[in-house]
Structure formats: structure tokens, C-alpha cells
Amino acid sequence: MKNNLKISLATLAAAVLATGCIKEATPTDIAIERQVTLETTIRGIPAALVKAGSTGYAQQGAAWDFSLPAIHLAMESMTGDLVVTGNIGYDWFAQWGTNDALGADYAVGALTWDNYYTWIMMANSVISLIDTDDYMSLDATQRSYLGFAYAYRAMFYFDLVRLYEFKENTVTSAPELLGLGVPIVLPETTEAQAKNNPRAKVDDIYDQIIFPDLDKAETLLESYAAPDKYTISLALVYGLKARAYLERGTAKNDVAAYRSAAEYARKAITASGCTPLTQEQWEDPTNGFNSATSNDAWIWGLALPNESVSPLFCFTAHMSCENDWSDYHAGRGINKNLYNSISIRDFRRHSWLDPDRNSYAYKSCRSDSKDYFANSLKDYANIKFRPAQGAYQDYNVGGAADHCCMRVEEMYFIEAEATAQAGNLPEGVRLLNSFMTSYRMMDGATYDCSVKVGSSLENFVNELMLQKRIEFWGEGIVMFDMKRLNMSSKRGYVGTNAPSSYRLNVDGRAPYWNLVITRGETQNNPVIAKQNNPDPSGRIEPWK
């Protein structure tokens, strides 16, 4: 479905200017209004991150329109690891799964472009209200709010760069775009500037926004104790730095960046006090991957209040296969080849239904689970993401699932990879072996990748990524790693469980991992029209 896109950087810049000005009031009125605006805006950001209908296309029936959880599901649909095992007519993320209608003229582009720049506007609004060179002049609340805003803004630009940076692939070519990221919009950006705002260099975005913002957030939140997993913490800032340094290490082949990635990953582990999910927590039929408070592993997550739940516009409606209140999960499962690579001694294997349903005593919130799993769900369907509180019949409760944005387990994987990439392969192998043996193997089994890896860094990274793809399946993380590492994806092979239109095989990174900027932006910011990524739609014939 083609639609004109309604939000541009120019209109966002105007909104920033509007929200950042308070005129014709007494000093007392200014202080009160300033504090109210500050608190309202900073608290509105996490609410905006899970808002249904955030781009306006929900009103037209676009069931992918539910902010960051939908973005994660879209990214996951592009990896090749997620397979639709049910009725593809109910897959609202088919564009991303089949590489169809992803060009500038299509509405789906709004999911990422419009949302991220709206969220950047909100972070800019907070920064414009209280930013100062003298942090000690701020009270503790203001310091934390400013720290949150810088962390958010760094996070949003980091995601945008990873999504839109054109990276070389075997299908599309645009050498003139190499090294370009996205336009920069700051609190001081005028509407006129936003209408002539070219894509900034990736290096400049890291050097001028991402790392400086994270440094400021680290300073501002140094003594702040987050009250819950829904609030930005110092550990999250460390985790974001670990992600960013890992990305830079790969892009620049930079040993120092890899060492920083490992350092900050360990800092995140320590500062968070988090521990990896246990088998009981992982397989919990009531709270599995839907509750930030039911485990010690989540560093940061988003809450979806009951009153904000839609029966269709929420992550659980599309991803959980156990609920009765939505057909739109479309039986999402795992790529058969990936499933078969999981050790039978690894409890993560239980997240998907084996063709032999008697191979494991699968747990469920459903009273009819044995019959339901045998007759209603196909092989390899996922039961990783459970309806909240086990409420598989009540969307208002079951759909109100917390959404995980960072787990401590990711830091263990970053530490292991970055250590090996920095030149200490034996230590990277030891770290991965230790994590897997300590936290993922059952009945005293030992994981040891030493023989498979040998002395090859490439073999180690492939093995680590195999385990990372299993670990974070469905969570919207691994596509970024696959793009970073120029990895291949494959759904087409003899015996595949993917529907025919989804059987895309790509040698190296997929062209659709370089997202296309929306027509709404190219119309309002014409300089972008000559800097847009090539449209990948339909450029890969499904395997037959």
C-alpha cells in the first residue's frame, strides 16, 4: 500500500523549536512550566517507544504500526532466522520478510524514519530545556533527566546509523553513499536548515553525537540508582557504549575500539548486578520473555500498560503463538536449519516445538497445551514469547507484556567477541565456553568450541554468532550484527520450513538491511533525494 508520508525532519525541527520556547511569563511561572515540560517530556519518551499508531498508519489498518517493538520484529523478519509457519496472510511484516515494497514510496518506511526522528525531537526538547556546562548547578532530578535525554538521543542516532548506512553487498551498488549516515537534527536546528539537511558522515555522527552523548550520560548518571528495569541506568549506558565500540571496531578494524567494547561490556555486567536467565526463567509459561521483574537478566525494558494494549497493535499479538485472541502471530517459528544446530543439551532448544512433540515436556500457560501444540501449531513454532501473566484468552492482560531492549547476556557475547577481535582469540574462546557451559547447558553438559574454532578468528566469530542468533532470536538484535559482519542469510534449501515467497538466499549482507529513506523526507528535504539508498525491493528471486 503506497501512502504519502507525513513527518519530515523539517516539521520535526519546527516542533523542537516550539517545545523549547517559553515566553512572556514571570520567573516563577517559567520555572514551574519548565519543570512540568521537562518531566512530561522525559516521561513521555518510553511511552512513545511502545505507542500503538505512532506513525498514523494504524488508522489505515497497518498492523505493523506499534513503535519500537514493531521495529524489532521487522528487523528480525529480515534476518532469515525467523520463519512464518502459519498463514502468511496474517503476516503484517511480510514486506520485511520477503523484500517487497521497501522503497521510498511505501508506508512501511515510516516505521523507522518517522519514529526515530520523533523520539530524537523529544530528547532534544529535554536537552534544550536544561543543558548546561555546569552540571552541579542542576539538582539531582534534573541531572538524571538530562542523563536520560543524552542516553536516549545517542541510542536513537546509533540505531538510525546502523539501519540507514549503506554497506556494500552483492545485489545493490552505491559507492557514492559509502560512509554516509543520516541527517543530524539538534535543538538549535532551524526549519530552514532542516529543509536542506544532507546525510552526515557516519564518523561525524559517532564523534559528534553518539559517543559525546554517552559520555555525558555516563557522567550525569554516575551516582544515580535506577529504581527499576524500566528506567535508564548507568549499566544501560555502559551497554550502549559496548554496542557502539563493537560496531566501530568492525567498521574500522580498530583494536582499541574492540578493547573498549570488551571493557564496557564487563562494566555493564558489573554495574547492572544482573545474572543470565536460568532455565526455569527462560521456560516460564507465565512470565517467559514478557516481564522485566520476573528475572535478574534484563538491564532495560519497556512497559506496556494494560490501558494501552490493542488486540492487534502490540508485540504479543504478532509474536506469541499461545494466545487465543489474535490470529496475527501467523505461527512465527525458527528457521529449521538454525533449530537443528542447537545442541539437545542446550535448554534454549525448548523455545521451539520439535517435530517430535514428545522430545520434551513443553510447558504452557494453556490448559489444553498438549492438544494445542500437537494440532494447532506447526513444527518449529516458537513458545519463547508468552502472553503476559499467562493470560492467553484476555488480550488486555496477555498483551500487556514488557518489551526487553537489553539483557545482560548480550554483554557476555560482546565481551567474548571483542576480546577475540582485539587479538586474544584463546581468551575469547574461553569466555564463550564459560558462558555457554555455566548458563545454557543442561545436566552438567560442557560446551567447548575449541576444536571447531581451532586457530581461526573467522571460525570463532561464526560460532559465536550462531549462539548469539539462538540466544536473541526474535528480540531484534542480531540483524545489526549480521549487517556489521557481512553475514549471509538463507531460507531457501531442500527441506526448508519457510513459505515459498520468503525463501531468500543472499551471499553476504542483504541489500534490504540498508533501509530506504521515505518519500516524505525526500520531498521536504530535497538534498536527500540524491543521497537515498537503492531500493532493494524484488531484487532477489526466491529460491525454488
Side-chain angles (χ1 to χ4, degrees):
M1 175 177 62
K2 293 187 178 182
N3 284 294
N4 290 329
L5 303 182
K6 295 176 281 188
I7 300 177
S8 69
L9 297 191
T11 56
L12 289 174
V16 170
L17 294 173
T19 57
C21 297
I22 301 171
K23 299 179 181 179
E24 299 180 2
T26 66
T28 301
D29 290 338
I30 291 174
I32 294 173
E33 186 172 353
R34 181 170 175 267
Q35 187 66 27
V36 170
T37 303
L38 173 65
E39 183 172 0
T40 301
T41 304
I42 199 65
R43 294 186 182 279
I45 294 176
L49 293 177
V50 294
K51 181 182 178 182
S54 53
T55 70
Y57 286 105
Q59 297 175 358
Q60 301 178 34
W64 44 258
D65 189 8
F66 51 95
S67 302
L68 188 59
I71 291 173
H72 288 165
L73 211 163
M75 299 307 102
E76 200 69 25
S77 297
M78 293 198 292
T79 63
D81 291 343
L82 185 148
V83 168
V84 176
T85 61
N87 186 342
I88 62 173
Y90 289 128
D91 181 16
W92 280 92
F93 292 82
Q95 295 101 317
W96 293 278
T98 63
N99 186 30
D100 179 55
L102 296 179
D105 291 339
Y106 292 89
V108 293
L111 178 62
T112 46
W113 190 266
D114 291 9
N115 272 318
Y116 275 109
Y117 275 105
T118 298
W119 303 333
I120 287 171
M121 177 198 73
M122 298 176 76
N124 278 339
S125 295
V126 174
I127 292 169
S128 69
L129 284 169
I130 56 174
D131 194 23
T132 175
D133 293 331
D134 181 14
Y135 292 157
M136 297 311 296
S137 66
L138 303 174
D139 61 37
T141 298
Q142 291 174 329
R143 283 198 298 274
S144 66
Y145 285 174
L146 186 57
F148 298 164
Y150 276 122
Y152 278 127
R153 191 169 73 175
M155 182 193 314
F156 301 150
Y157 273 110
F158 180 49
D159 280 2
L160 277 172
V161 167
R162 292 188 294 170
L163 290 169
Y164 286 92
E165 180 185 2
F166 180 84
K167 287 186 176 287
E168 293 177 315
N169 61 90
T170 60
V171 179
T172 57
S173 177
E176 73 280 8
L177 300 179
L178 294 175
L180 295 184
V182 294
I184 295 175
V185 177
L186 300 172
E188 60 269 22
T189 301
T190 66
E191 184 173 0
Q193 290 170 334
K195 289 182 176 180
N196 185 31
N197 196 4
R199 296 174 70 172
K201 293 181 179 179
V202 170
D203 290 348
D204 290 344
I205 297 172
Y206 277 96
D207 294 342
Q208 297 174 18
I209 298 180
I210 296 172
F211 284 121
D213 280 8
L214 290 174
D215 287 343
K216 291 173 184 176
E218 182 177 355
T219 299
L220 287 160
L221 300 176
E222 186 175 13
S223 59
Y224 175 76
D228 50 50
K229 300 296 184 181
Y230 310 108
T231 304
I232 284 181
S233 64
L234 183 61
L236 174 64
V237 175
Y238 288 152
L240 292 172
K241 280 193 166 186
R243 286 177 176 175
Y245 276 117
L246 184 67
E247 189 78 29
R248 291 277 82 190
T250 304
K252 298 292 188 179
N253 193 22
D254 188 337
V255 170
Y258 280 131
R259 288 174 178 163
S260 293
E263 173 190 351
Y264 277 102
R266 177 49 54 177
K267 282 186 174 183
I269 293 168
T270 302
S272 69
C274 292
T275 54
L277 291 164
T278 65
Q279 179 177 358
E280 182 180 6
Q281 292 168 340
W282 186 288
E283 298 179 12
D284 189 331
T286 299
N287 296 310
F289 289 90
N290 64 34
S291 171
T293 60
S294 65
N295 64 78
D296 298 318
W298 291 24
I299 292 178
W300 185 57
L302 298 169
L304 180 62
N306 293 73
E307 60 271 17
S308 301
V309 176
S310 162
L312 179 54
F313 297 90
C314 68
F315 186 82
T316 307
H318 296 262
M319 203 63 169
S320 173
C321 292
E322 292 178 272
N323 67 71
D324 273 349
W325 39 268
S326 172
D327 292 321
Y328 295 96
H329 55 64
R332 299 191 188 278
I334 192 172
N335 186 315
K336 178 182 176 181
N337 274 354
L338 181 58
Y339 177 81
N340 287 335
S341 72
I342 308 174
S343 168
I344 60 173
R345 307 295 293 278
D346 182 340
F347 67 71
R348 298 175 302 178
R349 188 180 176 96
H350 306 153
S351 291
W352 302 276
L353 297 179
D354 193 271
D356 178 6
R357 297 294 194 273
N358 295 318
S359 66
Y360 184 67
Y362 295 106
K363 303 173 185 176
S364 178
C365 58
R366 297 182 64 98
S367 57
D368 61 344
S369 60
K370 188 171 183 178
D371 178 70
Y372 183 77
F373 287 171
N375 299 312
S376 297
L377 296 181
K378 292 186 178 180
D379 297 342
Y380 312 109
N382 98 89
I383 54 171
K384 177 178 178 178
F385 300 96
R386 312 284 189 159
Q389 300 181 45
Y392 67 93
Q393 295 177 310
D394 184 352
Y395 82 84
N396 196 53
V397 178
D402 294 342
H403 187 75
C404 186
C405 297
M406 183 181 287
R407 287 197 278 128
V408 73
E409 291 90 340
E410 183 186 357
M411 298 300 111
Y412 284 91
F413 280 95
I414 290 177
E415 182 182 38
E417 184 193 342
T419 298
Q421 296 271 27
N424 194 344
L425 177 58
E427 178 62 9
V429 170
R430 187 195 68 80
L431 288 168
L432 181 59
N433 286 344
S434 175
F435 172 82
M436 291 293 297
T437 298
S438 300
Y439 299 115
R440 294 297 173 255
M441 307 306 288
M442 301 183 296
D443 305 323
T446 299
Y447 169 92
D448 188 353
C449 66
S450 303
V451 174
K452 182 185 295 187
V453 168
S455 59
S456 168
L457 176 61
E458 181 181 2
N459 288 348
F460 173 72
V461 173
N462 287 338
E463 173 61 20
L464 179 138
M465 280 304 303
L466 172 64
Q467 301 305 329
K468 193 170 187 179
R469 288 159 58 202
I470 296 165
E471 180 76 22
F472 297 103
W473 181 94
E475 297 181 52
I477 288 177
V478 297
M479 190 281 283
F480 293 119
D481 287 306
M482 295 178 75
K483 182 176 179 179
R484 170 176 64 88
L485 294 166
N486 195 21
M487 293 182 65
S488 302
S489 58
K490 185 177 182 180
R491 284 200 192 105
Y493 51 87
V494 175
T496 181
N497 60 325
S500 59
S501 56
Y502 293 73
R503 296 173 183 172
L504 306 181
N505 295 339
V506 185
D507 181 18
R509 66 174 59 91
Y512 39 85
W513 296 343
N514 301 318
L515 269 61
V516 179
I517 298 170
T518 65
R519 187 175 68 183
E521 184 56 34
T522 62
Q523 289 175 334
N524 287 283
N525 180 17
V527 68
I528 288 291
K530 297 180 180 180
Q531 296 182 314
N532 208 349
N533 292 337
D535 182 357
S537 304
R539 295 289 299 274
I540 303 167
E541 286 292 326
W543 176 88
K544 296 180 181 179

